[in-house]
Coordinates of all heavy atoms in Angstrom, one line a residue:
L183 N 6.7 -3.9 10.3 CA 7.7 -4.7 10.9 C 7.0 -6.0 11.3 O 6.2 -5.9 12.2 CB 8.5 -4.1 12.1 CG 9.5 -5.0 12.8 CD1 10.6 -5.3 11.9 CD2 10.0 -4.3 14.1
F184 N 7.3 -7.1 10.7 CA 6.7 -8.4 11.1 C 7.8 -9.2 11.9 O 8.8 -9.5 11.4 CB 6.3 -9.2 9.9 CG 5.7 -10.5 10.2 CD1 4.5 -10.6 10.8 CD2 6.4 -11.7 10.0 CE1 3.9 -11.8 11.1 CE2 5.9 -12.9 10.3 CZ 4.6 -13.0 10.9
K185 N 7.4 -9.4 13.2 CA 8.4 -9.9 14.1 C 7.8 -11.1 14.8 O 6.7 -11.0 15.4 CB 8.7 -8.8 15.1 CG 9.9 -9.0 16.0 CD 10.2 -7.7 16.8 CE 11.2 -7.8 17.8 NZ 11.4 -6.6 18.6
V186 N 8.5 -12.2 14.8 CA 8.1 -13.4 15.5 C 9.2 -13.8 16.4 O 10.3 -14.2 16.0 CB 7.7 -14.6 14.5 CG1 7.2 -15.8 15.3 CG2 6.8 -14.2 13.5
P187 N 9.0 -13.8 17.8 CA 10.0 -14.1 18.7 C 10.6 -15.5 18.4 O 9.9 -16.4 18.1 CB 9.3 -14.0 20.1 CG 8.2 -13.1 19.9 CD 7.7 -13.3 18.4
N188 N 11.9 -15.6 18.5 CA 12.7 -16.8 18.3 C 12.7 -17.3 16.9 O 13.4 -18.3 16.5 CB 12.1 -18.0 19.2 CG 12.1 -17.7 20.6 OD1 12.9 -16.9 21.1 ND2 11.0 -18.1 21.3
I189 N 12.1 -16.6 16.0 CA 12.2 -16.9 14.6 C 12.9 -15.8 13.8 O 13.9 -16.1 13.1 CB 10.8 -17.2 13.9 CG1 10.2 -18.5 14.5 CG2 10.9 -17.3 12.4 CD1 8.9 -19.0 13.9
G190 N 12.5 -14.6 14.0 CA 13.1 -13.5 13.4 C 12.2 -12.4 13.0 O 11.0 -12.4 13.4
Q191 N 12.7 -11.4 12.3 CA 11.8 -10.3 11.8 C 12.1 -9.9 10.4 O 13.2 -10.3 9.9 CB 12.0 -9.1 12.8 CG 13.4 -8.6 12.7 CD 13.5 -7.4 13.7 OE1 13.1 -7.4 14.8 NE2 14.1 -6.3 13.1
K192 N 11.1 -9.3 9.8 CA 11.3 -8.9 8.4 C 10.5 -7.6 8.2 O 9.4 -7.4 8.7 CB 10.7 -10.0 7.5 CG 11.1 -9.8 6.0 CD 10.8 -11.1 5.3 CE 11.1 -10.9 3.8 NZ 12.6 -10.7 3.5
I193 N 11.1 -6.6 7.5 CA 10.4 -5.4 7.3 C 9.8 -5.5 5.9 O 10.4 -5.9 4.9 CB 11.4 -4.2 7.3 CG1 11.9 -4.0 8.7 CG2 10.7 -2.9 6.9 CD1 13.1 -3.0 8.8
L194 N 8.5 -5.2 5.9 CA 7.7 -5.3 4.6 C 7.3 -3.9 4.2 O 7.0 -3.1 5.0 CB 6.5 -6.2 4.8 CG 6.7 -7.7 4.9 CD1 7.2 -8.2 6.2 CD2 5.5 -8.5 4.5
R195 N 7.2 -3.8 2.9 CA 6.5 -2.6 2.4 C 5.0 -2.7 2.5 O 4.5 -3.9 2.3 CB 6.9 -2.4 0.9 CG 8.1 -1.5 0.7 CD 7.8 -0.1 0.8 NE 9.0 0.7 1.0 CZ 8.9 2.0 1.3 NH1 7.8 2.7 1.5 NH2 10.0 2.7 1.5
V196 N 4.3 -1.7 2.7 CA 2.9 -1.8 2.7 C 2.2 -0.6 2.0 O 2.7 0.6 2.2 CB 2.3 -2.0 4.2 CG1 2.7 -0.8 5.1 CG2 0.8 -2.2 4.2
V197 N 1.3 -0.8 1.2 CA 0.5 0.2 0.5 C -1.0 0.1 1.0 O -1.6 -1.0 0.7 CB 0.6 0.2 -1.0 CG1 -0.2 1.3 -1.7 CG2 2.1 0.3 -1.4
H198 N -1.5 1.1 1.7 CA -2.9 1.1 2.1 C -3.7 1.9 1.1 O -3.4 3.0 0.8 CB -3.0 1.7 3.5 CG -2.2 1.0 4.5 ND1 -2.7 -0.1 5.2 CD2 -1.0 1.4 5.1 CE1 -1.8 -0.4 6.1 NE2 -0.8 0.4 6.0
L199 N -4.8 1.3 0.6 CA -5.7 2.0 -0.3 C -7.1 1.7 0.2 O -7.6 0.6 -0.2 CB -5.4 1.7 -1.7 CG -6.1 2.4 -2.8 CD1 -6.2 3.9 -2.5 CD2 -5.5 2.2 -4.1
R200 N -7.7 2.5 1.0 CA -9.0 2.3 1.5 C -9.1 0.9 2.2 O -8.3 0.6 3.1 CB -10.1 2.5 0.5 CG -10.1 4.0 0.1 CD -10.8 4.3 -1.2 NE -12.2 4.0 -1.1 CZ -13.2 4.8 -0.7 NH1 -12.8 6.0 -0.3 NH2 -14.4 4.5 -0.7
S201 N -10.0 0.1 1.9 CA -10.2 -1.2 2.6 C -9.0 -2.2 2.4 O -8.8 -3.1 3.2 CB -11.5 -1.9 2.2 OG -12.6 -1.2 2.6
F202 N -8.2 -1.9 1.4 CA -7.2 -2.9 1.0 C -5.8 -2.5 1.5 O -5.4 -1.3 1.4 CB -7.1 -3.0 -0.5 CG -8.2 -3.8 -1.1 CD1 -9.4 -3.2 -1.3 CD2 -8.0 -5.1 -1.6 CE1 -10.5 -3.9 -1.9 CE2 -9.0 -5.8 -2.2 CZ -10.3 -5.2 -2.3
S203 N -5.1 -3.4 2.1 CA -3.6 -3.2 2.4 C -2.9 -4.3 1.6 O -3.2 -5.5 1.6 CB -3.4 -3.4 3.9 OG -4.0 -2.4 4.6
F204 N -1.9 -3.8 0.9 CA -1.0 -4.7 0.1 C 0.4 -4.8 0.7 O 1.0 -3.7 0.9 CB -0.9 -4.3 -1.4 CG -2.2 -4.4 -2.1 CD1 -3.0 -3.3 -2.3 CD2 -2.7 -5.6 -2.5 CE1 -4.2 -3.3 -3.0 CE2 -4.0 -5.7 -3.1 CZ -4.7 -4.6 -3.4
L205 N 0.9 -5.9 1.0 CA 2.2 -6.1 1.7 C 3.1 -6.7 0.7 O 2.8 -7.7 0.0 CB 2.1 -7.0 2.9 CG 1.5 -6.4 4.2 CD1 0.1 -5.9 4.1 CD2 1.6 -7.4 5.3
L206 N 4.4 -6.2 0.6 CA 5.4 -6.7 -0.3 C 6.6 -7.2 0.5 O 7.1 -6.5 1.4 CB 5.9 -5.6 -1.2 CG 4.8 -5.0 -2.2 CD1 5.3 -3.6 -2.7 CD2 4.5 -5.9 -3.3
A207 N 6.9 -8.5 0.3 CA 8.1 -9.0 1.0 C 9.2 -9.3 0.0 O 9.0 -9.9 -1.0 CB 7.7 -10.3 1.7
F208 N 10.4 -8.8 0.3 CA 11.5 -8.9 -0.6 C 12.4 -10.0 -0.3 O 12.7 -10.2 0.9 CB 12.3 -7.6 -0.6 CG 11.5 -6.4 -1.1 CD1 10.5 -5.8 -0.4 CD2 11.7 -5.9 -2.4 CE1 9.8 -4.7 -0.9 CE2 10.9 -4.9 -2.9 CZ 10.0 -4.3 -2.2
W209 N 12.9 -10.7 -1.3 CA 13.8 -11.9 -1.1 C 15.0 -11.7 -2.1 O 14.8 -11.2 -3.2 CB 13.0 -13.2 -1.4 CG 11.9 -13.3 -0.5 CD1 10.6 -13.0 -0.7 CD2 11.9 -13.7 0.9 NE1 9.8 -13.2 0.4 CE2 10.6 -13.6 1.4 CE3 13.0 -14.2 1.7 CZ2 10.3 -14.0 2.7 CZ3 12.6 -14.5 3.0 CH2 11.3 -14.4 3.5
P210 N 16.1 -12.4 -1.8 CA 17.2 -12.3 -2.8 C 16.8 -13.0 -4.1 O 16.1 -14.1 -4.0 CB 18.3 -13.1 -2.1 CG 17.9 -13.3 -0.7 CD 16.4 -13.1 -0.6
S211 N 17.1 -12.5 -5.2 CA 16.6 -13.0 -6.5 C 17.1 -14.5 -6.7 O 16.4 -15.2 -7.4 CB 16.9 -12.1 -7.7 OG 18.2 -11.8 -7.7
A212 N 18.2 -14.8 -6.1 CA 18.8 -16.1 -6.3 C 18.2 -17.1 -5.2 O 18.5 -18.3 -5.3 CB 20.3 -16.1 -6.2
G213 N 17.5 -16.6 -4.3 CA 17.0 -17.4 -3.2 C 16.0 -18.5 -3.6 O 15.4 -18.4 -4.6
G214 N 16.0 -19.5 -2.7 CA 15.1 -20.6 -3.0 C 13.6 -20.3 -2.7 O 13.3 -19.4 -2.0
K215 N 12.8 -21.1 -3.3 CA 11.4 -20.9 -3.2 C 10.9 -21.4 -1.7 O 10.0 -20.9 -1.2 CB 10.7 -21.8 -4.2 CG 9.2 -21.6 -4.4 CD 8.9 -20.4 -5.3 CE 7.4 -20.1 -5.3 NZ 7.0 -18.9 -4.7
A216 N 11.7 -22.3 -1.2 CA 11.4 -22.8 0.2 C 11.3 -21.7 1.2 O 10.4 -21.8 2.0 CB 12.4 -23.9 0.6

Side-chain angles (χ1 to χ4, degrees):
L183 175 67
F184 178 72
K185 195 171 172 184
V186 184
N188 306 325
I189 292 186
Q191 62 179 48
K192 193 167 177 70
I193 296 172
L194 285 81
R195 266 283 162 189
V196 60
V197 179
H198 301 278
L199 186 43
R200 294 165 65 86
S201 292
F202 287 75
S203 294
F204 295 103
L205 281 64
L206 298 163
F208 294 78
W209 301 96
S211 53
K215 191 83 184 112

